[in-house]
Amino acid sequence: MKNLSERDKKHLWHPLTQHRLHPDMLPIVKAKGALMFDDDGNSYIDGIASWYTAMYGHGHPDIVRAMTEQMQTLDFVMFSGFTHPPAIELSERLMAILPDNQKKIFFNDNGSTAIEAAIKMALQYYHNKGDKRDTLIAFENGFHGDTFGAMSASGLSSYNGPFEDFLLKVVRIPVPQENTMDSVLERLETILENNACAAFVFEPLVQGAAGMKFHSAKGLDKLIAKCRTAGVLTVADEIMTGFGKTGPNFAVNFLEQRPDIICLSKALTAGMFPLSITSCSMAVYEAFLSDEVAKGFFHAHTFSAHPIGCAAALAGLRLLNSDAIVVRRTAIEKAHKAFATEIRTHEKISEVRTLGVILAIDLKEKTGRYGTLRDRLYRFFMENGVNLRPLGNTIYTLPPYVITDSELQHIYDTIKKALEIV
Ligand SMILES: *Cc1c(COP(=O)(O)O)cnc(C)c1O
């Protein structure tokens, strides 16, 4: 077990990493609840639930048990030609909490491929109707994943640079704010008139990778309604926001409009297994029904609807609105609000925002996405036993629901200390 960092360097290539500049990777050998432990026995509070996945805490016994039982009963079977109880039950449970226009569930194995499927669904939806459409609409600074379709929809150029000439056709609109609503609507109208648009892809209410930036449900409702009138499909990317992060089960619960397609992953399986779903309305599904085989949706990944992932998701759903978890979700929301009020006027802070269990703090000082201030903050947090990964000059936390009051207080105290030091 010794020298894990050294052994790591020999053969491993890490995501989102410039290996010439990056320090050694920290070996994590154990995790439980809101804590992760390194190979020297130091603990770290997982302040972002390992990329918003482990919302019920690491190693939750209910989820471990459900996965273990599933493994011993049916490990895996391909999902073409066959079906299995965990996928069926998961579809039923998800239908009970998704907006009521959602009728069908398509499985993939990660967030990007859920988006990829949504985009392909939208393009083929029109193709099957003999209506060739070649353009997507997306928000500036959105993030939807790293495969080509998802990357096309993403507007964060720091990731897309080398691939820009190879992407799908996407036109962007700014996220609507109170004072820009009318101009954004006009811009959308012009786009709809001048392009053959297939879909509008968006992160509802919170743009995660952009720095936990919020926009209003009212504004988004207007954009969705405009797309609906123009006959353009709408795709809500709830991969980050899904399963209670913003307060209700889904961020789209704040909307009056209902999107045609919804993508879920991350907390879907509580961080225990890679799995994702793309759900859609009956109208979308019906466009694929035909006597012609080729009008079906010929998209598959080997591990689609993996039974062990479905079992983890089912156990997670049982926890999501359980008394114990709801108490914690409410407590975190309240604590975030109190902390936001406490630090709002700090001289180094330009804005503090909270929504559900998300707390984001913008600093006045600017820094690049991987700039030195960002790196200093990250190091400071880790040295103080907290895993927080600032996005540029935005410090944010999105803790597991099971985080204790004292662990949450330690995150706040560490942020306060960081503001004095950096
Ligand atoms: C993480 C994320 C994705 C991509 O999911 P992966 O599983 O990393 O491919 C897409 N959209 C949003 C909003 C995300 O947060």
Side-chain angles (χ1 to χ4, degrees):
M1 284 290 267
K2 270 295 145 203
N3 292 321
L4 287 172
S5 291
E6 286 306 313
R7 284 164 60 198
D8 171 274
K9 276 195 288 199
K10 197 153 180 213
H11 299 301
L12 293 177
W13 188 348
H14 289 262
L16 303 177
T17 301
Q18 172 48 265
H19 277 283
R20 179 151 295 169
L21 303 175
H22 201 281
D24 289 357
M25 297 294 160
L26 177 69
I28 295 295
V29 294
K30 208 170 79 175
K32 189 74 193 163
L35 296 178
M36 327 187 293
F37 299 87
D38 71 15
D39 56 344
D40 283 330
N42 301 309
S43 70
Y44 306 87
I45 299 170
D46 194 354
I48 58 168
S50 285
W51 273 338
Y52 340 131
T53 60
M55 296 311 291
Y56 314 105
H58 291 279
H60 194 292
D62 292 9
I63 300 173
V64 171
R65 195 179 319 111
M67 293 173 75
T68 309
E69 281 168 14
Q70 186 55 49
M71 231 180 272
Q72 291 163 340
T73 316
L74 170 68
D75 52 354
F76 178 64
V77 63
M78 51 199 275
F79 205 54
S80 197
F82 301 104
T83 190
H84 52 72
I88 295 167
E89 194 184 339
L90 181 56
S91 70
E92 293 163 354
R93 292 293 169 97
L94 284 171
M95 280 309 157
I97 57 170
L98 281 166
D100 62 6
N101 70 327
Q102 299 298 297
K103 297 292 181 217
K104 289 282 173 178
I105 284 181
F106 191 91
F107 278 102
N108 281 300
D109 47 21
N110 66 66
S112 300
T113 53
I115 296 287
E116 212 69 28
I119 291 171
K120 286 175 72 175
M121 268 179 201
L123 293 172
Q124 191 179 342
Y125 170 87
Y126 294 105
H127 178 91
N128 281 358
K129 293 169 182 282
D131 180 357
K132 188 168 157 39
R133 302 204 179 188
D134 61 0
T135 304
L136 301 175
I137 306 165
F139 279 140
E140 290 167 0
N141 299 321
F143 177 72
H144 301 287
D146 285 342
T147 52
F148 269 84
M151 192 167 47
S152 304
S154 298
L156 285 172
S157 54
S158 49
Y159 298 141
N160 288 355
F163 313 108
E164 249 149 34
D165 291 346
F166 309 99
L167 301 178
L168 302 176
K169 195 177 157 205
V170 178
V171 282
R172 293 190 196 287
I173 51 176
V175 167
Q177 299 299 347
E178 206 71 24
N179 54 346
T180 59
M181 190 63 239
D182 291 343
S183 71
V184 176
L185 263 179
E186 270 171 43
R187 174 100 167 260
L188 177 61
E189 258 169 50
T190 313
I191 289 168
L192 290 168
E193 274 166 29
N194 295 302
N195 298 275
C197 297
F200 169 35
V201 185
F202 54 88
E203 292 164 272
L205 271 56
V206 187
Q207 292 189 295
M212 296 291 153
K213 298 283 192 284
F214 299 168
H215 55 270
S216 79
K218 219 168 95 196
L220 184 56
D221 259 330
K222 286 186 183 162
L223 300 177
I224 296 174
K226 181 78 57 191
C227 287
R228 170 136 312 133
T229 312
V232 169
L233 294 176
T234 51
V235 179
D237 176 351
E238 288 250 16
I239 292 163
M240 191 283 284
T241 48
F243 305 100
K245 270 77 160 260
T246 63
N249 290 331
F250 303 107
V252 294
N253 295 143
F254 286 106
L255 299 173
E256 278 169 23
Q257 298 288 328
R258 291 163 308 173
D260 302 291
I261 297 175
I262 298 177
C263 299
L264 301 170
S265 186
K266 294 207 162 114
L268 169 66
T269 51
M272 292 283 202
F273 206 90
L275 188 79
S276 65
I277 67 133
T278 306
S279 70
C280 69
S281 67
M282 206 60 192
V284 171
Y285 177 74
E286 278 173 349
F288 292 76
L289 299 179
S290 167
D291 293 334
E292 287 174 60
V293 174
K295 285 199 168 171
F297 191 47
F298 282 82
H299 177 104
H301 295 287
T302 306
F303 291 123
S304 298
H306 201 297
I308 298 170
C310 293
L314 281 165
L317 280 178
R318 281 191 288 272
L319 289 170
L320 176 64
N321 291 309
S322 65
D323 292 345
I325 294 293
V326 170
V327 165
R328 292 311 304 157
R329 284 165 62 182
T330 315
I332 295 167
E333 193 166 341
K334 206 169 139 210
H336 277 357
K337 281 187 184 139
F339 181 60
T341 307
E342 182 190 336
I343 58 161
R344 183 154 283 132
T345 53
H346 193 285
E347 58 181 10
K348 289 190 181 160
I349 291 176
S350 63
E351 190 185 283
V352 184
R353 29 180 204 281
T354 72
L355 182 66
V357 299
I358 305 168
L359 166 77
I361 301 162
D362 295 341
L363 302 182
K364 284 180 185 158
E365 189 178 335
K366 302 284 176 231
T367 175
R369 201 167 180 77
Y370 297 100
T372 58
L373 170 63
R374 184 264 172 211
D375 286 349
R376 280 204 315 278
L377 284 166
Y378 176 66
R379 256 198 318 274
F380 181 82
F381 292 137
M382 286 300 287
E383 281 162 14
N384 285 275
V386 181
N387 175 34
L388 294 181
R389 293 171 61 92
L391 293 158
N393 65 341
T394 303
I395 298 171
Y396 75 98
T397 180
L398 197 168
Y401 301 138
V402 296
I403 195 167
T404 63
D405 289 338
S406 65
E407 286 163 346
L408 191 56
Q409 192 57 49
H410 184 66
I411 293 182
Y412 298 152
D413 291 343
T414 309
I415 292 175
K416 273 198 289 191
K417 255 194 261 168
L419 289 173
E420 300 317 317
I421 287 162
V422 297

